[in-house]
Amino acid sequence: MSDAVDAVTAQWNRERPDIDVWPMGIVGRLSRLSILFERELKEFFARHGLERFEFDVLATLRRSGAPYELTAGALLKAAMVTSGAITNRIDRMEAKGLVERVRDGGDRRSVRIRLTPRGLEIVDGLVGPHVDNEARLLAALGPAERDQLAGLLRVLLESMGDTSLT
Amino acid sequence: MSDAVDAVTAQWNRERPDIDVWPMGIVGRLSRLSILFERELKEFFARHGLERFEFDVLATLRRSGAPYELTAGALLKAAMVTSGAITNRIDRMEAKGLVERVRDGGDRRSVRIRLTPRGLEIVDGLVGPHVDNEARLLAALGPAERDQLAGLLRVLLESMGDTSLT
DNA sequence: ATTGATAATCTCAACGTTGAGATGACACCA
DNA sequence: TGGTGTCATCTCAACGTTGAGATTATCAAT
Protein backbone atom coordinates (compact mmCIF):
# COMPACT_ATOMS: atom_id res chain seq x y z
CA MET A 1 0.00 0.00 0.00
CA SER A 2 0.98 3.63 -0.34
CA ASP A 3 0.01 6.94 1.19
CA ALA A 4 0.24 10.61 0.25
CA VAL A 5 3.88 10.81 1.28
CA ASP A 6 4.85 7.94 -1.00
CA ALA A 7 3.46 10.03 -3.84
CA VAL A 8 5.56 12.98 -2.75
CA THR A 9 8.80 11.04 -2.55
CA ALA A 10 8.10 9.39 -5.90
CA GLN A 11 7.74 12.83 -7.46
CA TRP A 12 10.99 14.02 -5.98
CA ASN A 13 12.80 10.90 -7.16
CA ARG A 14 11.63 11.60 -10.68
CA GLU A 15 12.36 15.33 -10.64
CA ARG A 16 15.50 15.39 -8.54
CA PRO A 17 17.08 11.91 -8.65
CA ASP A 18 20.27 13.49 -7.32
CA ILE A 19 18.66 13.99 -3.90
CA ASP A 20 17.70 11.22 -1.49
CA VAL A 21 14.61 12.56 0.21
CA TRP A 22 14.21 9.79 2.80
CA PRO A 23 13.82 12.26 5.70
CA MET A 24 10.53 13.40 4.18
CA GLY A 25 9.22 9.89 4.69
CA ILE A 26 9.33 10.56 8.40
CA VAL A 27 8.98 14.31 8.85
CA GLY A 28 6.24 14.56 6.24
CA ARG A 29 4.22 11.72 7.70
CA LEU A 30 4.64 13.04 11.21
CA SER A 31 3.37 16.42 10.15
CA ARG A 32 0.36 15.12 8.24
CA LEU A 33 -0.59 12.62 10.92
CA SER A 34 -0.42 15.32 13.54
CA ILE A 35 -2.85 17.50 11.57
CA LEU A 36 -5.26 14.61 10.99
CA PHE A 37 -5.18 13.55 14.64
CA GLU A 38 -5.70 17.10 15.77
CA ARG A 39 -8.82 17.36 13.63
CA GLU A 40 -10.22 14.18 15.10
CA LEU A 41 -9.54 15.28 18.65
CA LYS A 42 -11.10 18.67 18.02
CA GLU A 43 -14.24 16.99 16.73
CA PHE A 44 -14.35 14.63 19.69
CA PHE A 45 -14.12 17.41 22.26
CA ALA A 46 -16.62 19.54 20.39
CA ARG A 47 -19.10 16.70 20.74
CA HIS A 48 -18.58 16.98 24.49
CA GLY A 49 -18.88 20.76 24.60
CA LEU A 50 -15.20 21.47 25.13
CA GLU A 51 -12.47 23.22 23.18
CA ARG A 52 -9.36 21.21 22.49
CA PHE A 53 -7.20 23.50 24.61
CA GLU A 54 -9.65 23.38 27.50
CA PHE A 55 -9.28 19.65 27.90
CA ASP A 56 -5.55 20.06 27.60
CA VAL A 57 -5.40 22.43 30.55
CA LEU A 58 -7.87 20.42 32.61
CA ALA A 59 -5.94 17.21 31.99
CA THR A 60 -2.59 18.79 32.85
CA LEU A 61 -3.96 19.99 36.15
CA ARG A 62 -5.74 16.72 36.89
CA ARG A 63 -2.76 14.49 36.34
CA SER A 64 -0.56 16.69 38.53
CA GLY A 65 -2.54 15.32 41.48
CA ALA A 66 -4.32 17.02 44.37
CA PRO A 67 -4.77 19.88 45.00
CA TYR A 68 -4.90 20.08 41.20
CA GLU A 69 -3.04 23.33 40.77
CA LEU A 70 -0.04 24.45 38.75
CA THR A 71 1.57 27.77 37.92
CA ALA A 72 0.85 29.45 34.61
CA GLY A 73 4.44 28.77 33.68
CA ALA A 74 4.06 25.03 34.16
CA LEU A 75 0.94 25.06 32.01
CA LEU A 76 2.54 26.91 29.13
CA LYS A 77 5.47 24.52 29.08
CA ALA A 78 3.14 21.53 29.03
CA ALA A 79 1.07 23.00 26.23
CA MET A 80 4.12 24.30 24.31
CA VAL A 81 2.57 27.73 23.74
CA THR A 82 3.64 31.26 24.64
CA SER A 83 2.76 33.13 27.78
CA GLY A 84 0.25 35.30 25.94
CA ALA A 85 -1.66 32.23 24.83
CA ILE A 86 -1.82 30.77 28.33
CA THR A 87 -3.05 34.01 29.85
CA ASN A 88 -5.79 34.10 27.25
CA ARG A 89 -6.76 30.48 27.79
CA ILE A 90 -6.90 30.79 31.55
CA ASP A 91 -8.97 33.96 31.25
CA ARG A 92 -11.60 32.17 29.23
CA MET A 93 -11.59 29.02 31.33
CA GLU A 94 -11.87 31.07 34.50
CA ALA A 95 -14.89 32.85 33.01
CA LYS A 96 -16.45 29.47 32.32
CA GLY A 97 -15.78 28.31 35.86
CA LEU A 98 -13.42 25.49 34.91
CA VAL A 99 -10.38 26.84 36.75
CA GLU A 100 -9.57 29.65 39.19
CA ARG A 101 -6.51 31.78 39.82
CA VAL A 102 -5.00 31.54 43.31
CA ARG A 103 -2.52 34.17 44.46
CA ASP A 104 -1.80 33.52 48.10
CA GLY A 105 1.54 31.71 47.82
CA GLY A 106 4.99 32.84 48.86
CA ASP A 107 6.15 34.06 45.46
CA ARG A 108 3.77 36.81 44.50
CA ARG A 109 4.97 36.86 40.89
CA SER A 110 3.52 33.48 40.19
CA VAL A 111 -0.13 32.57 39.85
CA ARG A 112 -1.45 29.16 40.66
CA ILE A 113 -4.21 27.84 38.46
CA ARG A 114 -6.52 25.49 40.25
CA LEU A 115 -9.15 23.09 38.98
CA THR A 116 -12.64 23.96 40.22
CA PRO A 117 -14.93 21.12 41.37
CA ARG A 118 -16.74 21.50 38.06
CA GLY A 119 -13.48 21.31 36.08
CA LEU A 120 -12.43 18.23 38.03
CA GLU A 121 -15.73 16.54 37.40
CA ILE A 122 -15.58 17.23 33.67
CA VAL A 123 -12.04 16.01 33.17
CA ASP A 124 -12.50 12.92 35.28
CA GLY A 125 -15.50 11.94 33.23
CA LEU A 126 -13.78 12.54 29.93
CA VAL A 127 -10.31 11.03 30.27
CA GLY A 128 -11.54 7.52 29.69
CA PRO A 129 -13.57 8.27 26.55
CA HIS A 130 -10.71 10.43 25.27
CA VAL A 131 -8.22 7.60 25.59
CA ASP A 132 -10.67 5.26 23.90
CA ASN A 133 -10.99 7.73 21.07
CA GLU A 134 -7.22 7.91 20.66
CA ALA A 135 -7.05 4.13 20.70
CA ARG A 136 -9.54 4.10 17.85
CA LEU A 137 -7.22 6.31 15.79
CA LEU A 138 -4.41 3.83 16.39
CA ALA A 139 -6.43 0.68 15.73
CA ALA A 140 -4.44 -0.04 12.56
CA LEU A 141 -1.44 -1.01 14.67
CA GLY A 142 -1.00 -4.27 16.52
CA PRO A 143 0.19 -4.35 20.15
CA ALA A 144 3.83 -4.99 19.23
CA GLU A 145 3.79 -2.24 16.62
CA ARG A 146 2.43 0.26 19.13
CA ASP A 147 5.31 -0.34 21.49
CA GLN A 148 7.77 -0.16 18.64
CA LEU A 149 6.35 3.15 17.41
CA ALA A 150 6.22 4.69 20.87
CA GLY A 151 9.82 3.65 21.41
CA LEU A 152 11.06 5.18 18.16
CA LEU A 153 9.23 8.43 18.84
CA ARG A 154 10.70 8.54 22.32
CA VAL A 155 14.20 8.35 20.88
CA LEU A 156 13.48 11.37 18.69
CA LEU A 157 11.80 13.35 21.44
CA GLU A 158 14.75 12.78 23.73
CA SER A 159 17.18 13.82 21.04
CA MET A 160 15.25 17.08 20.72
CA GLY A 161 15.71 17.70 24.40
CA ASP A 162 12.06 17.23 25.32
CA THR A 163 12.45 15.97 28.86
CA SER A 164 10.27 16.56 31.91
CA LEU A 165 7.61 19.20 32.10
CA THR A 166 8.15 20.32 35.63
CA MET B 1 15.90 7.07 29.09
CA SER B 2 12.66 8.95 29.38
CA ASP B 3 11.01 11.93 27.79
CA ALA B 4 8.23 14.38 28.64
CA VAL B 5 5.53 11.92 27.64
CA ASP B 6 6.86 9.27 29.99
CA ALA B 7 6.34 11.80 32.77
CA VAL B 8 2.77 12.37 31.62
CA THR B 9 1.85 8.69 31.52
CA ALA B 10 3.49 8.12 34.89
CA GLN B 11 1.29 10.84 36.36
CA TRP B 12 -1.83 9.33 34.87
CA ASN B 13 -0.91 5.88 36.16
CA ARG B 14 -0.62 7.30 39.64
CA GLU B 15 -3.78 9.41 39.51
CA ARG B 16 -6.02 7.16 37.46
CA PRO B 17 -4.67 3.59 37.67
CA ASP B 18 -8.02 2.40 36.32
CA ILE B 19 -7.21 3.80 32.89
CA ASP B 20 -4.54 2.47 30.54
CA VAL B 21 -3.29 5.57 28.77
CA TRP B 22 -1.00 3.82 26.27
CA PRO B 23 -2.44 5.77 23.29
CA MET B 24 -0.96 8.95 24.73
CA GLY B 25 2.46 7.39 24.31
CA ILE B 26 1.95 7.68 20.59
CA VAL B 27 -0.47 10.56 20.04
CA GLY B 28 1.25 12.76 22.60
CA ARG B 29 4.72 12.16 21.20
CA LEU B 30 3.53 12.68 17.67
CA SER B 31 2.02 16.00 18.61
CA ARG B 32 5.03 17.27 20.54
CA LEU B 33 7.51 16.11 17.91
CA SER B 34 5.51 17.82 15.23
CA ILE B 35 5.65 21.12 17.09
CA LEU B 36 9.39 20.82 17.73
CA PHE B 37 10.14 19.91 14.12
CA GLU B 38 7.98 22.75 12.88
CA ARG B 39 9.97 25.21 14.99
CA GLU B 40 13.24 23.91 13.58
CA LEU B 41 12.00 24.12 10.00
CA LYS B 42 10.70 27.63 10.53
CA GLU B 43 14.08 28.70 11.83
CA PHE B 44 15.87 27.04 8.92
CA PHE B 45 13.76 28.77 6.27
CA ALA B 46 13.99 32.10 8.07
CA ARG B 47 17.76 31.85 7.76
CA HIS B 48 17.21 31.55 4.02
CA GLY B 49 14.76 34.44 3.79
CA LEU B 50 11.67 32.31 3.30
CA GLU B 51 8.49 31.65 5.22
CA ARG B 52 7.72 28.04 5.99
CA PHE B 53 4.58 28.07 3.85
CA GLU B 54 6.44 29.65 0.94
CA PHE B 55 8.82 26.75 0.65
CA ASP B 56 5.91 24.39 0.98
CA VAL B 57 4.13 25.88 -2.03
CA LEU B 58 7.33 26.17 -4.06
CA ALA B 59 8.24 22.54 -3.35
CA THR B 60 4.77 21.26 -4.19
CA LEU B 61 4.93 23.00 -7.56
CA ARG B 62 8.51 21.94 -8.23
CA ARG B 63 7.99 18.27 -7.58
CA SER B 64 4.91 18.20 -9.81
CA GLY B 65 7.31 18.56 -12.76
CA ALA B 66 7.40 20.94 -15.73
CA PRO B 67 5.66 23.27 -16.41
CA TYR B 68 5.57 23.58 -12.61
CA GLU B 69 1.96 24.57 -12.25
CA LEU B 70 -0.99 23.28 -10.21
CA THR B 71 -4.48 24.50 -9.44
CA ALA B 72 -5.20 26.29 -6.19
CA GLY B 73 -7.26 23.27 -5.20
CA ALA B 74 -4.33 20.90 -5.58
CA LEU B 75 -2.16 23.20 -3.48
CA LEU B 76 -4.64 23.44 -0.63
CA LYS B 77 -5.00 19.67 -0.48
CA ALA B 78 -1.24 19.22 -0.38
CA ALA B 79 -0.86 21.82 2.36
CA MET B 80 -3.95 20.64 4.28
CA VAL B 81 -5.29 24.15 4.74
CA THR B 82 -8.54 25.85 3.78
CA SER B 83 -9.23 27.72 0.56
CA GLY B 84 -9.00 31.07 2.32
CA ALA B 85 -5.50 30.30 3.48
CA ILE B 86 -4.31 29.28 0.03
CA THR B 87 -5.74 32.41 -1.59
CA ASN B 88 -3.90 34.49 0.97
CA ARG B 89 -0.63 32.59 0.50
CA ILE B 90 -0.72 32.82 -3.25
CA ASP B 91 -1.53 36.52 -3.06
CA ARG B 92 1.60 37.19 -1.04
CA MET B 93 3.83 34.89 -3.07
CA GLU B 94 2.61 36.45 -6.29
CA ALA B 95 3.46 39.89 -4.89
CA LYS B 96 6.96 38.63 -4.14
CA GLY B 97 7.33 37.23 -7.63
CA LEU B 98 7.66 33.62 -6.57
CA VAL B 99 4.58 32.34 -8.41
CA GLU B 100 2.06 33.68 -10.90
CA ARG B 101 -1.61 33.00 -11.55
CA VAL B 102 -2.48 31.67 -15.01
CA ARG B 103 -6.10 31.71 -16.13
CA ASP B 104 -6.15 30.60 -19.76
CA GLY B 105 -7.13 26.91 -19.33
CA GLY B 106 -10.32 25.16 -20.38
CA ASP B 107 -12.07 25.38 -17.02
CA ARG B 108 -12.39 29.03 -16.21
CA ARG B 109 -13.30 28.38 -12.58
CA SER B 110 -9.86 27.07 -11.80
CA VAL B 111 -6.66 29.04 -11.51
CA ARG B 112 -3.31 27.53 -12.25
CA ILE B 113 -0.45 28.62 -10.05
CA ARG B 114 2.88 28.55 -11.82
CA LEU B 115 6.43 28.77 -10.53
CA THR B 116 8.26 31.83 -11.83
CA PRO B 117 11.89 31.42 -12.94
CA ARG B 118 12.87 33.05 -9.67
CA GLY B 119 10.69 30.68 -7.66
CA LEU B 120 12.15 27.71 -9.49
CA GLU B 121 15.68 28.86 -8.87
CA ILE B 122 15.05 29.35 -5.14
CA VAL B 123 13.41 26.00 -4.57
CA ASP B 124 15.96 24.09 -6.60
CA GLY B 125 18.75 25.59 -4.56
CA LEU B 126 17.06 24.89 -1.26
CA VAL B 127 15.68 21.34 -1.51
CA GLY B 128 19.05 19.76 -0.86
CA PRO B 129 19.90 21.81 2.23
CA HIS B 130 16.35 21.35 3.49
CA VAL B 131 16.60 17.58 3.28
CA ASP B 132 19.97 17.71 4.99
CA ASN B 133 18.42 19.74 7.76
CA GLU B 134 15.61 17.23 8.20
CA ALA B 135 18.19 14.43 8.27
CA ARG B 136 19.93 16.27 11.09
CA LEU B 137 16.70 16.23 13.12
CA LEU B 138 16.50 12.47 12.62
CA ALA B 139 20.13 11.70 13.35
CA ALA B 140 19.23 9.86 16.55
CA LEU B 141 17.81 7.01 14.50
CA GLY B 142 19.84 4.35 12.73
CA PRO B 143 19.10 3.36 9.13
CA ALA B 144 16.98 0.35 10.09
CA GLU B 145 15.03 2.38 12.64
CA ARG B 146 14.24 5.04 10.06
CA ASP B 147 12.67 2.51 7.75
CA GLN B 148 10.77 0.97 10.60
CA LEU B 149 9.42 4.34 11.74
CA ALA B 150 8.45 5.42 8.24
CA GLY B 151 6.64 2.12 7.76
CA LEU B 152 4.66 2.40 10.98
CA LEU B 153 3.66 5.97 10.20
CA ARG B 154 2.58 4.92 6.73
CA VAL B 155 0.22 2.34 8.22
CA LEU B 156 -1.44 5.03 10.32
CA LEU B 157 -1.63 7.54 7.49
CA GLU B 158 -3.27 5.00 5.24
CA SER B 159 -5.74 4.07 7.94
CA MET B 160 -6.71 7.73 8.16
CA GLY B 161 -7.43 7.76 4.44
CA ASP B 162 -4.53 10.00 3.50
CA THR B 163 -3.86 8.72 0.01
CA SER B 164 -2.71 10.60 -3.07
CA LEU B 165 -2.70 14.33 -3.36
CA THR B 166 -3.85 14.68 -6.92
C1' DA C 1 -32.20 26.61 -24.04
C1' DT C 2 -33.32 26.46 -19.10
C1' DT C 3 -33.00 24.78 -14.65
C1' DG C 4 -30.61 22.86 -10.88
C1' DA C 5 -26.75 20.83 -8.80
C1' DT C 6 -21.96 20.80 -8.21
C1' DA C 7 -17.37 22.78 -8.42
C1' DA C 8 -13.30 26.19 -7.89
C1' DT C 9 -11.90 30.20 -6.08
C1' DC C 10 -12.29 34.45 -3.58
C1' DT C 11 -14.00 37.47 0.28
C1' DC C 12 -14.15 38.75 4.90
C1' DA C 13 -15.18 38.89 9.80
C1' DA C 14 -14.09 36.35 13.92
C1' DC C 15 -10.75 34.16 16.40
C1' DG C 16 -6.32 32.58 18.67
C1' DT C 17 -1.46 32.78 18.62
C1' DT C 18 2.88 35.00 18.50
C1' DG C 19 6.39 38.00 20.02
C1' DA C 20 7.88 42.05 22.07
C1' DG C 21 7.50 44.86 25.79
C1' DA C 22 5.53 46.37 30.31
C1' DT C 23 4.80 45.41 35.11
C1' DG C 24 5.62 43.90 39.52
C1' DA C 25 8.32 40.76 42.51
C1' DC C 26 12.34 38.29 44.11
C1' DA C 27 17.47 37.49 45.07
C1' DC C 28 21.99 38.61 45.55
C1' DC C 29 25.70 41.54 46.48
C1' DA C 30 27.83 45.68 47.75
C1' DT D 1 19.05 49.77 51.51
C1' DG D 2 20.15 50.50 47.24
C1' DG D 3 21.21 48.62 42.94
C1' DT D 4 21.20 45.22 39.38
C1' DG D 5 19.70 41.23 37.10
C1' DT D 6 16.41 37.75 36.63
C1' DC D 7 11.84 35.84 36.85
C1' DA D 8 6.55 35.18 36.25
C1' DT D 9 2.76 36.97 34.31
C1' DC D 10 0.08 40.16 31.72
C1' DT D 11 -0.78 43.40 27.76
C1' DC D 12 -1.49 44.29 23.11
C1' DA D 13 -0.83 44.98 18.19
C1' DA D 14 0.24 42.31 14.16
C1' DC D 15 -0.54 38.33 11.75
C1' DG D 16 -2.52 33.99 9.60
C1' DT D 17 -6.11 30.70 9.68
C1' DT D 18 -10.75 29.20 9.79
C1' DG D 19 -15.35 28.79 8.24
C1' DA D 20 -19.24 30.53 6.08
C1' DG D 21 -20.96 32.72 2.25
C1' DA D 22 -20.57 35.04 -2.38
C1' DT D 23 -19.25 34.61 -7.09
C1' DT D 24 -18.61 32.67 -11.34
C1' DA D 25 -18.29 28.56 -14.18
C1' DT D 26 -19.40 23.76 -15.62
C1' DC D 27 -22.25 19.74 -16.35
C1' DA D 28 -26.39 16.84 -16.71
C1' DA D 29 -30.98 16.40 -17.62
C1' DT D 30 -34.93 17.93 -19.76
Side-chain angles (χ1 to χ4, degrees):
Chain A
M1 281 295 292
S2 78
D3 62 5
V5 176
D6 279 330
V8 169
T9 55
Q11 285 190 316
W12 279 121
N13 288 338
R14 174 166 51 79
E15 293 294 320
R16 292 294 303 267
D18 57 312
I19 299 180
D20 182 355
V21 298
W22 70 266
M24 292 187 187
I26 294 176
V27 178
R29 286 189 174 95
L30 220 66
S31 166
R32 296 185 72 85
L33 257 184
S34 179
I35 292 172
L36 294 173
F37 279 2
E38 212 56 50
R39 285 182 188 164
E40 293 280 342
L41 296 190
K42 178 180 179 180
E43 209 176 306
F44 171 81
F45 289 118
R47 278 199 296 275
H48 294 272
L50 272 190
E51 298 291 330
R52 171 88 179 83
F53 79 86
E54 291 176 324
F55 180 81
D56 220 57
V57 171
L58 294 179
T60 304
L61 291 169
R62 175 62 184 86
R63 69 170 196 260
S64 75
Y68 309 125
E69 56 181 43
L70 290 172
T71 62
L75 286 175
L76 72 85
K77 265 175 225 153
M80 301 183 101
V81 296
T82 59
S83 65
I86 274 296
T87 296
N88 182 20
R89 290 178 178 191
I90 295 169
D91 283 350
R92 282 178 289 161
M93 292 181 70
E94 194 168 28
K96 283 182 70 173
L98 298 173
V99 300
E100 53 187 349
R101 283 182 166 89
V102 188
R103 288 203 116 101
D104 55 324
D107 187 336
R108 257 174 303 178
R109 287 170 303 181
S110 75
V111 184
R112 295 210 308 274
I113 317 302
R114 181 193 294 161
L115 225 46
T116 62
R118 175 143 170 275
L120 176 59
E121 183 186 4
I122 290 177
V123 68
D124 259 337
L126 218 47
V127 187
H130 165 58
V131 171
D132 290 346
N133 184 49
E134 285 190 335
R136 176 183 63 84
L137 301 176
L138 302 174
L141 298 178
E145 290 176 317
R146 299 170 192 165
D147 291 347
Q148 214 170 43
L149 178 53
L152 291 166
L153 294 176
R154 181 191 289 109
V155 171
L156 286 178
L157 218 39
E158 277 170 6
S159 81
M160 303 286 291
D162 191 55
T163 54
S164 95
L165 287 174
T166 332
Chain B
M1 281 294 293
S2 78
D3 61 4
V5 176
D6 278 330
V8 169
T9 54
Q11 285 190 318
W12 278 121
N13 287 339
R14 173 166 50 80
E15 293 294 320
R16 291 294 303 266
D18 56 314
I19 298 180
D20 182 354
V21 298
W22 70 266
M24 293 187 186
I26 294 177
V27 178
R29 287 188 173 94
L30 220 65
S31 168
R32 296 185 72 85
L33 258 183
S34 181
I35 292 172
L36 292 173
F37 279 2
E38 212 57 50
R39 285 181 187 164
E40 293 281 341
L41 296 188
K42 179 180 180 181
E43 208 176 306
F44 170 81
F45 289 119
R47 279 198 295 274
H48 294 272
L50 273 189
E51 298 290 331
R52 171 89 179 84
F53 79 86
E54 290 176 323
F55 180 82
D56 219 57
V57 171
L58 293 179
T60 304
L61 292 169
R62 174 62 184 86
R63 69 170 196 259
S64 76
Y68 310 123
E69 55 180 47
L70 290 171
T71 62
L75 287 176
L76 73 84
K77 265 174 226 154
M80 302 182 101
V81 296
T82 59
S83 65
I86 274 296
T87 298
N88 181 20
R89 291 178 178 191
I90 295 169
D91 283 349
R92 283 178 289 162
M93 292 181 70
E94 194 168 29
K96 283 182 68 172
L98 297 173
V99 301
E100 54 187 349
R101 282 181 166 89
V102 188
R103 286 204 117 100
D104 55 324
D107 188 335
R108 257 173 304 178
R109 286 170 305 181
S110 75
V111 184
R112 295 210 308 274
I113 316 303
R114 182 193 293 160
L115 226 46
T116 62
R118 175 144 169 275
L120 176 58
E121 184 187 2
I122 290 178
V123 68
D124 260 337
L126 219 47
V127 186
H130 165 58
V131 171
D132 290 346
N133 184 49
E134 286 190 333
R136 176 182 64 82
L137 301 176
L138 302 173
L141 298 178
E145 291 176 316
R146 299 169 192 166
D147 290 348
Q148 215 170 41
L149 178 53
L152 291 166
L153 295 175
R154 181 192 288 109
V155 170
L156 286 178
L157 219 39
E158 278 169 5
S159 81
M160 302 286 291
D162 191 55
T163 54
S164 98
L165 286 173
T166 333

